[in-house]
Amino acid sequence: MERLTSPARLMIVSDLDHTMVDHHDPENLALLRFNSLWEHAYRHDSLLVFSTGRSPTLYKELRKEKPLLTPDVTIMSVGTEITYGNSMVPDLGWVDDLNHKWDLGVVKEETGKFSELTLQAETEQRPHKVSFYVDKSKAEEVIKELSQRLEKRGLDVKIIYSGGMDLDILPQGAGKGQALAYLLKKLKSEGKLPVNTLACGDSGNDAELFSIPDVYGVMVSNAQEELLKWHAENAKDNPKVIHAKERCAGGIIQAIGEFKLGPNLSPRDVSDFLECKVENPNPGHDVVKFFLFYERWRRGEVENSEAYAASLKASCQPGGVFVHPSGAEKSLVDTIGELRKHHGDKQGKKFRVWVDQVLATETAPGTWMVKLDKWEQSGDERIGCTTTVKFTAKEGEGLVWEHVEQTWSEESKLKDDSSWII
């Protein structure tokens, strides 16, 4: 969060499974639509927060399976763990808060007396979260009796039932809602309270997010019965909480538009980039647009025309250099020219390209350095590289690509790097 020196224009706080991530969308199209919108219009001045019931282990597994962006803040284990940035640095102040009237040993002892409870995987048991499966028909009775027993033992806990099967026991001060309230309070104390905050969810453990004052909320169209019931009983007259018509990330994009929180046209929803003109040159937009065009070119979804080739070459400095991840230097114009022979070579295949953490810095008037992570997925193989682009602004031409340098990401081990174009 330190990269922002002023309040975020928008902070999106989103659940992952069945909200940001649609497990019924094998091509991840809604998620990729959101990704390109965020990197194009919001990354530079806004905050992205993932709030998930997943433990750190399962969260990292999801990141390997799906094209998720890198959030500024990650709230995991149903609001019991808050971490920051790429390195996922834990918030120790939050840990101290959760220790109040909490004893993990006592919780394990009392829950062990209930045959109806089935312990979840070891990875899901955390310092401030104990997780079980329980049959829907027995959940209400178990929760009532367990709450009474833990209270008699001097504990102040919260029991959350979601997904029709998951039962989580947390400190009373924990949960997705309290974690968000803590984060907002922290940002306010630093003079960085976001201008607008949008909470997004689909299940019972997301209900707390919509209870935080002055926060907009969207229940995606595929929201579960338990959340819809909570909304009907607690927030049906709240105009700041809507039930979207679109699934998952599509519903988040819809909410951005309905609440007028900022741009909501994803670059992936623009069919012809030659017709897409931006009033103020934006290096982040140029990067997102180029790599999306690159995906469409190789999938054969755009025409192999001279107009496109000429437009791409015109956006490159004649003496521009491209440094391949292997370290080899090539002419940038020639590299772009080589794209012609790769037109449609991924047609009919599972091939997607996305960019992450697009951050631009103006190093001199009219000169920009843009850093980003660029990813390609071809079938089940995912490869990525850290990319640095130098742009210069030229009157009448907009932004011109002057220098591109790429290095393999730590996660990528490409045996034959000759297949990597740019």
Side-chain angles (χ1 to χ4, degrees), residues 36-93:
S36 60
L37 173 62
W38 188 261
E39 296 299 333
H40 149 59
Y42 292 98
R43 174 69 77 173
H44 64 289
D45 66 358
S46 298
L47 291 172
L48 181 61
V49 180
F50 289 157
S51 183
T52 177
R54 287 181 178 241
S55 64
T57 299
L58 290 187
Y59 167 65
K60 289 172 183 175
E61 284 182 11
L62 186 66
R63 290 193 63 81
K64 292 177 182 177
E65 296 166 5
K66 297 291 182 178
L68 285 167
L69 296 181
T70 301
D72 299 283
V73 185
T74 312
I75 300 172
M76 295 167 289
S77 305
V78 199
T80 61
E81 300 179 62
I82 301 176
T83 66
Y84 301 98
N86 280 342
S87 304
M88 296 178 70
V89 178
D91 189 316
L92 299 181

Side-chain angles (χ1 to χ4, degrees), residues 72-134:
D72 299 283
V73 185
T74 312
I75 300 172
M76 295 167 289
S77 305
V78 199
T80 61
E81 300 179 62
I82 301 176
T83 66
Y84 301 98
N86 280 342
S87 304
M88 296 178 70
V89 178
D91 189 316
L92 299 181
W94 182 237
V95 173
D96 288 341
D97 285 0
L98 296 186
N99 284 330
H100 180 66
K101 287 193 173 183
W102 172 259
D103 188 316
L104 185 60
V106 171
V107 173
K108 288 183 176 179
E109 181 186 334
E110 290 298 332
T111 53
K113 300 172 183 176
F114 289 80
S115 60
E116 300 92 337
L117 295 175
T118 302
L119 201 63
Q120 291 187 19
E122 187 61 34
T123 57
E124 299 312 287
Q125 312 307 324
R126 305 297 297 167
H128 296 95
K129 180 177 81 78
V130 186
S131 297
F132 298 89
Y133 297 118
V134 62

Side-chain angles (χ1 to χ4, degrees), residues 200-346:
C200 320
D202 77 295
S203 71
N205 67 19
D206 299 315
E208 293 180 352
L209 293 173
F210 307 128
S211 304
I212 306 300
D214 302 318
V215 167
Y216 290 96
V218 56
M219 303 179 297
V220 290
S221 70
N222 51 293
Q224 295 184 24
E225 178 187 343
E226 67 219 20
L227 182 59
L228 297 178
K229 182 182 177 185
W230 173 89
H231 178 259
E233 294 172 354
N234 299 276
K236 65 178 180 180
D237 297 322
N238 183 353
K240 284 194 168 185
V241 179
I242 64 168
H243 186 194
K245 295 177 181 176
E246 292 196 47
R247 291 178 57 85
C248 300
I252 299 174
I253 295 172
Q254 179 191 337
I256 292 173
E258 287 205 20
F259 290 129
K260 297 180 171 54
L261 302 177
N264 72 324
L265 176 64
S266 170
R268 282 189 174 268
D269 296 330
V270 176
S271 58
D272 189 348
F273 290 139
L274 288 179
E275 302 298 321
C276 180
K277 303 297 181 184
V278 179
E279 290 182 15
N280 300 310
N282 177 332
H285 176 264
D286 267 39
V287 165
V288 172
K289 186 175 75 168
F290 170 77
F291 284 114
L292 179 51
F293 174 82
Y294 170 81
E295 174 194 290
R296 291 176 176 175
W297 182 267
R298 296 195 65 186
R299 286 173 62 94
E301 294 174 350
V302 293
E303 184 184 353
N304 187 356
S305 70
E306 190 57 46
Y308 280 124
S311 176
L312 287 174
K313 287 184 178 180
S315 66
C316 296
Q317 184 85 356
V321 174
F322 167 53
V323 182
H324 190 273
S326 65
E329 291 192 9
K330 304 171 68 176
S331 158
L332 186 54
V333 172
D334 289 348
T335 300
I336 297 300
E338 287 175 12
L339 276 178
R340 292 298 292 270
K341 64 185 182 186
H342 293 283
H343 182 267
D345 64 350
K346 299 291 184 179

